Each structure stands twice: as C-alpha cells, then as structure tokens.
Amino acid sequence: MIRALLLIALVPAFVYGNVGRACINGRPQATNVNIIGCSAPPCDLVRGQDVIAYIDFTTDRAVTSMTTVPTATALGITAPYPLPAEFADTCAWLEGASCPLSANEDVTYRLTIPVLSIYPLVSLSIEIDIVDENDQSVSCFVVDAQVVPAN
C-alpha cells in the first residue's frame, strides 16, 4: 500500500520536471518551471499547438503589474518572441493570487506560448523574463526546446 502511494506521489515529478535554467545578468530566477509534457530539455514545441508551462517564483519586492517578455535564440540569432496581448499580461494568469503582489510573495503563473504552424523546425533557447511596471525583472528563466512537426 505504501509503495503504491509513493509511486502515485512520484509520477508527476517524472512527467513534469523542472526544465528551466537561470538567466544571465543576475536576474531573479524562477523557483520551478514545469512545461506540460516535458520532463527534460530540450522540450518539444509542436507546430500548431500551445505550450503550457507553470512557473513558480517569489517576488523580491512589491509589484503592481507584470508582463511576460520572451526572447528566442536559434541559429545564432536572438529575436523577440512576442506573445499575444492576452497571454503577455502575467497578472491575468496567476493561480491563487492577483496583482498587486507583496514583497516575498510566492506565486504560480500559468504561461501559454502559441507555436505557430509556420515556425521552422529548429532547436532554440527561449528566455522568459517576467518584468514589472518599471521593466525590471521579477523572475527569469531559460528553456532549451525544439520545434517539431505535429503528428
């Protein structure tokens, strides 16, 4: 019985592992990054489907609003990876919390990244920087990924 309970408790850790790594320049790091369907990088970004990620982070100061700013690097080229406005508003996708946030508040953010069917089949790194109303980083992480065709 105990083995069965332990197995049930551990399966999510194997299915959804922390796949994020730290950003450069000392920006605050997410405490956990789980991308649905990805247990280890590189994560597959399926053309024509949305990628759903859950990001846990702790605010290091009070913030009024937040915006998600993705940047992609592929084939040696770094470029903005703009999100649709409804997904870029970080505060609209917090789970169990809402803006404004207090200093040292632990939050979970549900990020949706559309993967368009026209995207080339490439390996890339995606930096996700969550910035406050003053464009200062609140949390940042990088994930290695690859765009793959839909089945």
Side-chain angles (χ1 to χ4, degrees), residues 3 8-9 22-23 30 36 52 58 61 71 75 78 90 92 96 100-101 113 115 133 138 147-148:
R3 283 189 221 181
I8 291 169
C23 292
I36 302 300
I52 306 295
T58 302
R61 62 189 175 281
T71 305
L75 305 172
T78 300
T90 312
L101 297 171
I113 301 175
V115 181
E133 62 277 5
V138 176
V147 179
V148 297

Side-chain angles (χ1 to χ4, degrees), residues 63-64 66 90-102 105 107-108:
V63 294
T64 303
M66 297 180 291
T90 312
C91 291
W93 298 96
L94 296 179
E95 300 208 333
S98 60
C99 290
L101 297 171
S102 304
E105 190 166 344
V107 294
T108 298

Side-chain angles (χ1 to χ4, degrees), residues 29-49:
Q29 185 175 353
T31 54
N32 197 37
V33 178
N34 291 314
I35 298 176
I36 302 300
C38 179
S39 58
C43 296
D44 287 346
L45 309 180
V46 181
R47 282 180 169 171
Q49 296 182 14

Side-chain angles (χ1 to χ4, degrees), residues 69-73 77-83 119:
V69 182
T71 305
T73 301
I77 300 170
T78 300
Y81 189 119
L83 291 176
Y119 286 171

